[in-house]
Structure formats: structure tokens, C-alpha cells
Amino acid sequence: MSLSALAQAPIGIAIHGGAGTIERGNLSKAQETAIRSALSDAIEAGHQVLTDGGSSLDAVVAAVRILEDAPEFNAGRGAVLTHDGTVEMDASIMDGASLAAGAVASVAGIRHPIEAARAVMTDSPHVMLVSDGATAFAETIGLEFKDPDWFITEFRAEQLRAVQARQDASVQLSEDWFSTVGAVALDGDGNLAAATSTGGMTNKRWGRVGDSPIIGAGTYADNRACAVSATGHGEFFIRHVVAYDICARIRHAGLDLAESADAVVNGVLVKAGGDGGVIAIDAQGNIAMPFNTEGMYRAAIDAAGRKTIAIYGDD
């Protein structure tokens, strides 16, 4: 690509921090400020990678790393707690140019699970590693680990106590808030990438894993269509292969990005009873961020350099 073409090539990035039941007034001013600040820091970090000529893969990792360190979100530090009061994290990443992908599930102690997912993609012959095996792999390649207490916040501990105090806690299948984090990006070479990271579901048991580390369900990227990162009730996103479906409708049904994302999020998922949303970007730099809940933490910087940070449905 010539320098003039490179200068004109569109770049863009979008991130999310979860979707669910959230209305104005539910957050304190301090909480909202902290959330918007973290979203701003993450989107700026990812966009800086792109403006410096970096890859979409580097951009989504840079953005997700910041969200994994922010205790306001359910990923990395601040992840929700399992039935036993521990943290089990999932993450995945996909390269739209090659369709290479990597994922980890039910991991503990890894400061940035998204880095572990990328290492599975680049440094192993596999797509997904789980639990102790994924942890051992992360150790062999020198990823950073933290003690268990580093991940646990008092907010998450209280959240678990409240859930377990309910009579239906043992059979709870859903939550009002799905605070997965994720990023999608288009770089100056025209390559797409998607990344997703989560602590899963509060009070989860038996090694439950949702859609976030599953390629095609919570994460998908294909230069021929789009890149998608999802957040929502994972069981529904798995059953309906949401991220792949959005890309497939663009490739095979001729829909544009907005039409395809809306058809799946506000059509397929709503009909099935699944709550959540997605962020998506296509090869032209168009961005879509639909959700069927009352709010979704989200931010974007589009091909024109316009920055958006939003929480509520009417933002």
C-alpha cells in the first residue's frame, strides 16, 4: 500500500463494558465518572495503536488490557465471583485477516486473560485451552500473574452474598447485568480483529463457561465481513452463534453492518429471550453497537475521528 493510500485508509475502534438493566440514577456520580473515564482510557489506548500504524490485534489487546485492570468491569480485576468465592476468567481473540483465533476458559491468576488468549493463537497449535492447562501454558510463556485477592473487590464479594441469600440462588440462570468487556478494530491495512474478556456469571458453578471464549458465539472477525464482540446471557449467544451470524448475514445475505447486527440482537435474540448487545465494525470502518437491554457501557472512535462514550439507551 502506498503512503498516500495508507494515509487515507480508514481506521476505527469500538469497545464495550457490558450490557444490562441500567437506568439514569442507578449509578452514583462517582461511579459513572469512573466508568466513563475507564472507557475513555481504553478507547484512546486502542485508537493510539491504530494511529501509530499498529495492527488491529494490538489495538484490541491494548483496549481490553485497560478494562481488565479497571475494577468497575467484570473482567480481570473486579471479575465476578463463583459459588465458592473464587475468580474464573475467560477470554478470546480473533484475527480477521487469517481467521486465526485463540481462547482461554476458567483460568485463575492471570492478570490479563486476553494476553493468554492471544498467546494461544500465536504460540500454540490450538484455539482454546482451559483451566489448569491454560494456566500452565501462561506460566511457560511468562505472562504476569497476581495473587487471588488482587482480583476480588468488596463490591463483587457483596454481590455474591446478595445472590446467595436469595432462595432461587442455586438455580439462577440469568442476571440483570452482563459486564463482559470487549473490543473490535479496523487498522490501516484493512485488517479486522475482535477480543472479549470476562469473569463470567456471578455464583456460577461446575466450571460454567459462557460465550466470551467461544469463537463464533462471543467473538468473531473476518475481513470479508466484520468483527464482533458480544456481551449478554451467554447461553443464548452460544446457541445462536451470535457473532458469526452477524458476519454471515453480511457475506451471504447482503445486509450492511447495522442491518445485520440489529437483526440478530433485536430480532433473533429477543425472540429467543436472550438479553445483551454487541459491538461491531466492518471493513469500511462502519461501527454498530446495538443492544436489547436498558443500557450498555460502550465507546467508539470512528473513521472520521469522532469519539463516543455512552452508558444509557438514550445516550
Side-chain angles (χ1 to χ4, degrees):
M1 184 180 293
S2 69
L3 289 178
S4 60
L6 181 62
Q8 296 172 4
I11 60 172
I13 185 169
I15 63 174
H16 70 76
T21 302
I22 182 168
E23 299 174 336
R24 294 185 185 276
N26 287 359
L27 294 173
S28 70
K29 184 176 181 179
Q31 287 173 319
E32 183 170 336
T33 297
I35 290 164
R36 290 185 182 273
S37 177
L39 290 171
S40 179
D41 289 345
I43 200 72
E44 291 285 357
H47 191 255
Q48 189 62 54
V49 171
L50 299 174
T51 57
D52 289 344
S55 72
S56 54
L57 285 168
D58 286 341
V60 295
V61 170
V64 170
R65 275 173 50 95
I66 289 176
L67 297 175
E68 287 176 333
D69 273 350
E72 293 80 16
F73 303 101
N74 174 20
R77 191 180 191 195
V80 299
L81 303 184
T82 69
H83 180 77
D84 296 324
T86 60
V87 169
E88 293 179 358
M89 300 171 290
D90 313 319
S92 64
I93 191 168
M94 188 166 183
D95 176 12
S98 64
L99 302 187
V104 293
S106 294
V107 298
I110 303 172
R111 179 174 180 176
H112 293 295
I114 195 60
E115 292 186 341
R118 185 174 187 179
V120 172
M121 178 178 72
T122 59
D123 299 338
S124 87
H126 309 299
V127 171
M128 180 182 286
L129 299 178
V130 303
S131 193
D132 293 343
T135 300
F137 171 75
E139 290 173 341
T140 65
I141 61 173
L143 293 187
E144 183 178 1
F145 279 71
K146 289 289 188 180
D147 292 334
D149 289 347
W150 184 84
F151 294 90
I152 299 174
T153 65
E154 179 54 36
F155 173 76
R156 296 304 187 191
E158 175 55 35
Q159 184 181 49
L160 179 64
R161 288 191 289 267
V163 169
Q164 292 184 337
R166 290 167 41 181
Q167 291 183 351
D168 65 344
S170 64
V171 295
Q172 183 188 25
L173 295 178
S174 184
E175 296 181 286
D176 294 328
W177 185 248
F178 310 98
S179 41
T180 303
V181 307
V184 295
L186 170 69
D187 64 31
D189 290 327
N191 294 321
L192 296 165
T196 312
S197 182
T198 189
M201 181 179 289
T202 303
N203 199 40
K204 64 183 178 181
R205 304 175 71 181
W206 308 300
R208 180 264 183 187
V209 174
D211 65 300
S212 295
I214 298 179
I215 301 304
T219 303
Y220 202 76
D222 185 338
N223 280 5
R224 297 169 295 180
C226 64
V228 180
S229 174
T231 174
H233 188 173
E235 281 70 12
F236 290 91
F237 282 68
I238 294 169
R239 293 177 188 128
H240 296 280
V241 277
V242 164
Y244 175 76
D245 191 10
I246 291 171
C247 293
R249 287 167 186 258
I250 294 173
R251 287 191 61 205
H252 303 303
L255 300 185
D256 65 27
L257 182 72
E259 292 170 337
S260 181
D262 183 69
V264 176
V265 172
N266 290 305
V268 173
L269 280 175
V270 169
K271 183 178 180 180
D275 294 330
V278 304
I279 52 170
I281 188 169
D282 67 15
Q284 291 73 47
N286 299 306
I287 292 172
M289 299 188 288
F291 50 96
N292 60 32
T293 54
E294 294 182 19
M296 182 170 77
Y297 297 152
R298 60 203 187 275
I301 299 179
D302 66 15
R306 294 181 294 252
K307 180 178 177 180
T308 301
I309 297 176
I311 293 177
Y312 309 106
D314 58 357
D315 271 346

